[in-house]
Amino acid sequence: MAINKRLKPALFRAIGICAGLVAGVASFASNADEAWFEEFKSTADDRDLYRFLYALPKGGDLHNHLTGSNFSEWWYQLATNKKLNGGYEYYTRVRINNCVGYGQDMFGLAPYLMYFRNLQASSYQALSDCEKGEYKKIDALNGREKAAWLDSLRLDKKHEGREEFFQTHWQRLNELGRNPYINAEMLVKNMQAFAREGLTYLETMEGTRFYTRVDGSTFAPDEVADIFRKRLAEPDALATGVTARMQYYLLRFIGNAEEDLEWIYRFVDANRDLFVGVNMVGREDNDKGHPQRFLPTLRKLRRDIPGVPLSIHAGEVDEPNHHVRDTLLLGATRIGHGVNLISDPDTMLLMRNSDYLVEINLISNLLLNYVDDYSQHPFPEYLRMGIPVALSTDDRGMWDSNMTDEYFVAVKEFNLSWAELTSLARNSLAHSFVDEATKQKLLQDYDTRLAGFKKRFQRSGMAGLGDLVPRSHSFICKQYQLCEFSTPLMAAN
C-alpha cells in the first residue's frame, strides 16, 4: 500500500508515540512486578535478607575448585573415617624438630617450617625417625591441636591473605587432596550443600592425575574418572537433584604446561560425559603463565579435535594488563574473576551484550586483596553495562562461605533489582558447558522454581520460606554480624 508523502511524518510520529507508550507500559509493568522486592529490601533486616536469599532458587556454580570448596570439618571427617576415605590413615605435622630434608609435593618443594602438613601413612612410614617425631595421627589430635588444624585450612585471621592462600593452604592439604575417594565424597557433599541453597548445577575444577593409592602407588587417570562416575551414580548423589560436571585444570606456570595442556585436552575429549571443559589455574601474577603462551598449542589442538570449551582465570591481578583480551583470543568464552577488565575499555566494549561471561567471585576477591572493599569491585559496572556475569564461590571452603553469602553481598552492597538478581542464576545456567538438552532442562526448571518461590513469598512473606536455616559461616558472621544463626547447624551444610 502506498502512503501519501504528506502523511508519512504524522504516521511515523504516531508510530513513535505508540511505541513509546508500549515501552512505557512494559517498563511500568516491570517496575510494578518488582515493587514487592523493593519493598522487601527497604524493610528487611540483614537476617531476613539472608534467609530470603538462602531460600531463593539459584542456578549453578561455574567457578568452583573442588579441593578448595570443602569445609575444614569435612576434611577432618574424611581424613579420620576409613570407611568413607578408602581405608587411608593420615598424619599431620604438629611440631618442628629441625630435621634434615623435607618432603616434596606436586607443586614443588613445600616449606619445611609449616605446621599441619598432611601425609598418608605410606609417606609417613618412609620418613626418618626425626621427621616421624614431628607428625601425629589426625584422629589423635587433642582439642587445641584439632582446632588449629581446622583453622589451618581456611583464611580466618586478619593478617592472612593472598600469600597464605596460594603458598600454604594447598601445600598443607598435600596428600589429603590426592585421595580420589575423598574428592569424590567431597563432590557429593558440595552437591548436597548446594542443593539446600537452591542450586541445581555444579561445574567444578578437578583432575585425574597425581592420585595415590593406600600403598603410595599411583592411580591411572581413567581409574580416577571411574571413581568419580561411580560416586555420582549413587542414590544420595542423585537425590540432590544437582547436575555435576567437571573442568580439567591446567597449572599454567609450570615448565611443561604446553605438554600438560595437550594431554588434558585429549583426555577431556575422550571423557566428555564427565569433563565439559578446560581451565587454566594458578597465580596470574606469575608471568610464566601468561595467556598467549598457550595460543600455538590450542591452535594445533583445534585442528584435530572438536571444540573443547575453555573457561580461564584472567584479570585476577592488581596491575592493568590485557590478559582478559588475550584469554578471549585463546578461545575462552568464560572469564574467571576479570577484576582488572575494568582497566581495558576496548575489551569491555567487546564483551558488552555478548556471549562472553565473567565469573564473579566477590568474597574471594576481597579476602585475597584484589579489592580493599566492595566499593572498588567492578561487578556492578559489568552488570549494568550489559556484560554477562554470574556469581560463583571459587574456594568457598577456605573462606568458610557459600553461594548465599555471594548473593547477600551482591544485594546488600550493590542494591540489585529483582531482574538483576535473577539474571545471575539464568546466566550461570545459560553459559554452562553442559550439553544443550540438559542446559535447556535446567533453565526451564529454574523458571518453574523461581515462579513458585515468588508466588509463595508474595502470598505468605517470610513464613513462606519454610524453616530452612543456614549454617553460621564465619565470613558472614564476622563481616555482617549474623552470628545469631545457630552454630550447631554447621554440620548440616
Side-chain angles (χ1 to χ4, degrees), residues 80-112:
T80 58
N81 189 327
K82 287 186 176 183
K83 291 182 180 179
L84 293 177
N85 72 21
Y88 292 67
E89 273 188 340
Y90 289 97
Y91 293 74
T92 192
R93 180 184 277 140
V94 295
R95 60 183 61 86
I96 303 294
N97 291 340
N98 293 316
C99 304
V100 177
Y102 48 89
Q104 185 172 1
D105 66 15
M106 70 188 205
F107 298 109
L109 293 175
Y112 176 66

Side-chain angles (χ1 to χ4, degrees), residues 305-375:
I305 300 173
V308 171
L310 302 176
S311 172
I312 301 174
H313 290 56
E316 189 188 16
V317 69
D318 299 306
E319 64 175 352
N321 60 31
H322 295 290
H323 281 189
V324 174
R325 180 202 65 189
D326 292 348
T327 298
L328 296 178
L329 183 62
L330 296 182
T333 55
R334 296 202 323 244
I335 299 297
H337 297 285
V339 178
N340 80 349
L341 170 62
I342 195 76
S343 65
D344 185 356
D346 290 340
T347 306
M348 279 189 68
L349 278 174
L350 172 68
M351 295 180 70
R352 285 191 69 193
N353 307 309
S354 70
D355 290 330
Y356 302 119
L357 177 104
V358 180
E359 302 157 355
I360 298 292
N361 304 282
L362 295 168
I363 293 170
S364 171
N365 296 156
L366 180 74
L367 294 184
L368 298 187
N369 310 125
Y370 293 107
V371 295
D372 295 325
D373 58 68
Y374 290 120
S375 66

Side-chain angles (χ1 to χ4, degrees), residues 435-454:
D435 64 274
E436 191 62 29
T438 303
K439 181 184 297 187
Q440 292 306 316
K441 183 179 178 181
L442 289 167
L443 283 164
Q444 291 169 11
D445 172 70
Y446 171 72
D447 286 338
T448 300
R449 291 186 297 122
L450 186 65
F453 171 86
K454 181 178 173 182

Side-chain angles (χ1 to χ4, degrees), residues 72 75-81 85 88-94 116-120 135-143 145-147 149-150 152-153 172-173 175-176 182:
S72 295
W75 282 117
Y76 183 83
Q77 178 195 16
L78 293 178
T80 58
N81 189 327
N85 72 21
Y88 292 67
E89 273 188 340
Y90 289 97
Y91 293 74
T92 192
R93 180 184 277 140
V94 295
F116 304 117
R117 179 167 161 81
N118 301 295
L119 299 177
Q120 64 184 57
Y135 285 83
K136 192 173 184 179
K137 278 188 181 181
I138 293 179
D139 60 3
L141 297 177
N142 62 37
E145 290 168 337
K146 179 182 174 182
W149 186 92
L150 292 170
S152 75
L153 297 177
R172 283 195 186 105
L173 275 177
E175 293 180 343
L176 273 178
I182 284 183

Side-chain angles (χ1 to χ4, degrees), residues 19 232 234 265 268 325 385 395 419 431 486:
L232 288 171
E234 291 180 13
Y265 205 92
V268 169
R325 180 202 65 189
M385 281 280 288
D395 295 284
H431 291 265
S486 177

Side-chain angles (χ1 to χ4, degrees), residues 380-435:
E381 183 72 0
Y382 300 163
L383 173 71
R384 288 158 182 162
M385 281 280 288
I387 296 174
V389 289
L391 297 178
S392 44
T393 64
D394 202 12
D395 295 284
R396 74 194 194 105
M398 295 180 178
W399 328 138
D400 197 16
S401 67
N402 61 16
M403 184 64 84
T404 304
D405 294 358
E406 302 286 342
Y407 271 68
F408 180 85
V409 169
V411 174
K412 185 170 178 63
E413 299 291 337
F414 306 116
N415 190 32
L416 299 191
S417 70
W418 178 248
E420 290 172 336
L421 177 65
T422 54
S423 74
L424 301 173
R426 286 196 182 90
N427 284 343
S428 70
L429 298 174
H431 291 265
S432 67
F433 292 153
V434 75
D435 64 274

Side-chain angles (χ1 to χ4, degrees), residues 254-312:
I254 59 175
N256 63 340
E258 290 88 350
E259 296 172 26
D260 261 16
L261 176 58
E262 287 206 41
W263 185 93
I264 289 168
Y265 205 92
R266 297 182 190 282
F267 185 85
V268 169
D269 180 46
N271 294 271
R272 291 186 186 240
D273 63 312
L274 183 62
F275 286 91
V276 293
V278 173
N279 203 311
M280 294 181 192
V281 306
R283 295 188 68 156
E284 202 177 339
D285 53 10
N286 183 332
D287 290 336
K288 291 183 179 179
H290 69 93
Q292 289 211 29
R293 170 183 175 180
F294 302 97
L295 186 56
T297 304
L298 284 166
R299 284 178 171 168
K300 180 178 75 171
L301 290 165
R302 282 195 286 259
R303 291 191 192 108
D304 304 321
I305 300 173
V308 171
L310 302 176
S311 172
I312 301 174

